[in-house]
Structures are given as C-alpha cells and as structure tokens.
Amino acid sequence: MAEKTTLPNFVISDADEGVQINEGTRLGFVGAGFQLEGFTDAVKILKKLFDTEIKIVSSGENDWIKQQLDLPEWEQVDAMSQQHIQALADDQELLYAGFMPFADPQDVEYGIKGHMVRPHSVHLANKICFTFGGGEQEYNLGQYLISADWVAQANKKTVKRIMDTQIEFLKKISNTDLKFVCQVGGVLGEKTAQKNKSVMESLGFSIEE
Amino acid sequence: MAKQRMIVTDDQLLIDMDLLFNAIREANGDWEKVEKEMQQYLEAIQSMVEE
C-alpha cells in the first residue's frame, strides 16, 4: 500500500452524477450514506484500507435524503442534508467538509473543493460506475458513482443488500435501466481492484470495464 | 444501448423531452423557473469551455 503522505484526500459524497469533486478523491454512496443500511460496515473497511482521515460532504438536491425524510421542497432538503450529513460525520467519525451547491466550485474544509454540475431537477446519467481501486479516478456526468472499493473485505450479504438498495434507488430516479461500468485504477492497486470486482460479479452484477 | 439524455453544443442545450417535462413537474409547473435554470446551465457550461 502507498505511504500515508501520498494518499489521496478521500471524500464520501452522494452518488449523484452531478457531484463533481475538483479537489479530493470521491467515494460515492447514495445519500452520502445517510440511513443507508451497511454504510457503517463500508466506512469501517474504508478507514482500514486507506489508513487516513476520510472526509464527507453534503450536496444540493439529494434525492435520497428527500425520500428518506419525505420532504417536498429542495430548499428544505438542502438544509436538512447539511445537518444530517454533519451528524452522520460525527457518528461515523468522519470529517465533515461542507456543502456542494449548484454554483461555481466551492473550497470547503480539509482541502476539498467541488460543486454540482448537472441542471436542476434533471438526471442525465444512464450508467452506474463502481469504483474498485480507490475512489473516482475520472469524473463523468453520464454516470452515478458507487464505491465498491471495500467489498472484498465485507460480508457478502451486506454487500448485496447495500448495492441492491443503491441500484434500485438510482434506477427509480432515472426512470430507466442503468448499465454497470467501473473504474479499477487507484491506490489500492490492480490486485485488490480485481478482487472487489470479482465479489461484485459473484453476486450477479455484470460490469463492463 | 442506453439513450442519450442531453447534448451540449456551442450554443444549444439539446435535452430529452421527458427530462425537461419532469424538471417542470418538479418545479410545480413553473416553466419560467426551469427555462431560466436551463439557460444558466448552458451559460455555465459555455464559460467552462471558454476557460
């Protein structure tokens, strides 16, 4: 594994295709992990894998939080997202870096910079991209992002449940089926990335590289 | 093949009709708000390309 000083600045965010992290390496989870069963297990493994303090951000128009809290307006969702993700950060011992708005890139805390780059109320993605080797390596507006960098060390039932929940939700907000693609690059190395990919494939997910 | 949802050219935003109507629905029928946001989005993309 790479030396601690050379590790990327990992940041957990929503899986939304509109979240662009300009500075920091993104780990995607629906709702940034808020009320997502299995998230605690994933975070524990990610902390062990990266041996670094992981950051977390909230972001604009978070569909998962809107659904979970049954909120009608985006203004409320954005306000609640910030509160709840900050509380989640405390709970999971992550560092809350700030909020990614629909605006120019924002410098928030802990060296993280980013913003929302999709149009309001429009989901453009037609794919889900799983990251296997250490977070997002290349941003793509056509893809939702789900971190699967941790799955080889997790209980398979937990992996299946958290992935099914996220995939089902992303299909629902897209009103369409979504193809699965992946990024295998990153600090974890090719061997670990392939192990993670194999676990996903053994659970029945057919993923293109 | 998954359908294409949006194309951005130098001066146009070509967007899937379903997505556009969903955005208007989401804005409780306020099409002027959606029009303004789409315009702002196109301008933001254009300024990114020019940078």
Side-chain angles (χ1 to χ4, degrees):
Chain A
M1 197 164 143
E3 291 292 318
K4 200 170 179 175
T5 48
T6 63
L7 278 174
N9 195 4
F10 288 107
V11 57
I12 291 172
S13 79
D14 188 33
D16 192 308
E17 79 277 43
V19 181
Q20 185 181 54
I21 299 294
N22 306 91
E23 285 171 25
T25 298
R26 188 177 166 219
L27 304 162
F29 289 88
V30 157
F34 172 71
Q35 290 184 355
L36 180 65
E37 207 183 334
F39 180 67
T40 301
D41 300 299
V43 168
K44 272 184 197 158
I45 298 168
L46 288 168
K47 281 182 184 175
K48 261 195 260 169
L49 281 171
F50 298 137
D51 190 24
T52 181
E53 286 193 295
I54 300 175
K55 287 77 186 180
I56 187 168
V57 289
S58 54
S59 52
E61 291 191 4
N62 191 315
D63 291 86
W64 175 262
I65 291 179
K66 188 175 196 277
Q67 174 191 273
Q68 296 304 99
L69 300 177
D70 193 21
L71 297 169
E73 302 292 338
W74 286 123
E75 287 80 6
Q76 291 169 277
V77 177
D78 289 354
M80 294 307 275
S81 292
Q82 294 175 63
Q83 279 181 31
H84 282 284
I85 300 302
Q86 196 157 13
L88 180 66
D90 292 343
D91 186 49
Q92 302 286 330
E93 296 181 349
L94 299 163
L95 297 172
Y96 180 68
F99 179 71
M100 306 283 107
F102 281 81
D104 289 337
Q106 307 287 306
D107 281 304
V108 289
E109 288 188 74
Y110 308 113
I112 303 296
K113 183 177 182 177
H115 61 147
M116 294 295 293
V117 300
R118 66 167 167 78
H120 284 278
S121 308
V122 173
H123 284 290
L124 302 164
N126 56 17
K127 295 183 184 110
I128 294 174
C129 178
F130 296 101
T131 59
F132 291 131
E136 183 180 53
Q137 305 300 305
E138 192 180 356
Y139 175 74
N140 188 328
L141 181 60
Q143 300 174 354
Y144 297 106
L145 193 83
I146 295 181
S147 169
D149 308 282
W150 53 278
V151 299
Q153 293 195 32
N155 175 291
K156 276 196 175 187
K157 275 187 188 165
T158 303
V159 176
K160 179 86 169 90
R161 198 179 316 125
I162 192 172
M163 293 303 169
D164 281 344
T165 305
Q166 295 184 94
I167 292 164
E168 190 188 328
F169 179 73
L170 295 174
K171 282 182 180 173
K172 189 180 122 188
I173 62 170
S174 296
N175 280 320
T176 184
D177 205 14
L178 299 165
K179 211 161 98 174
F180 300 151
V181 294
C182 67
Q183 292 180 10
V184 293
V187 289
L188 296 176
E190 200 180 326
K191 210 172 152 187
T192 303
Q194 286 305 328
K195 270 189 204 167
N196 287 326
K197 189 170 182 238
S198 300
V199 167
M200 290 292 283
E201 285 169 342
S202 73
L203 291 169
F205 300 108
S206 174
I207 302 162
E208 289 177 21
E209 261 192 48
Chain B
M1 191 183 142
K3 68 177 181 177
Q4 202 142 24
R5 301 195 139 209
M6 186 177 81
I7 298 168
V8 180
T9 70
D10 286 348
D11 59 354
Q12 283 178 299
L13 198 62
L14 305 172
I15 192 158
D16 183 280
M17 196 171 70
D18 290 339
L19 296 183
L20 190 58
F21 280 108
N22 282 343
I24 295 169
R25 220 168 277 130
E26 193 69 53
N28 296 318
D30 188 349
W31 62 268
E32 283 171 320
K33 181 178 173 227
V34 174
E35 183 188 27
K36 195 174 153 197
E37 284 171 353
M38 289 292 174
Q39 196 59 47
Q40 284 170 347
Y41 185 71
L42 179 60
E43 283 164 17
I45 299 250
Q46 284 169 333
S47 69
M48 271 186 231
V49 173
E50 283 160 18
E51 271 167 20

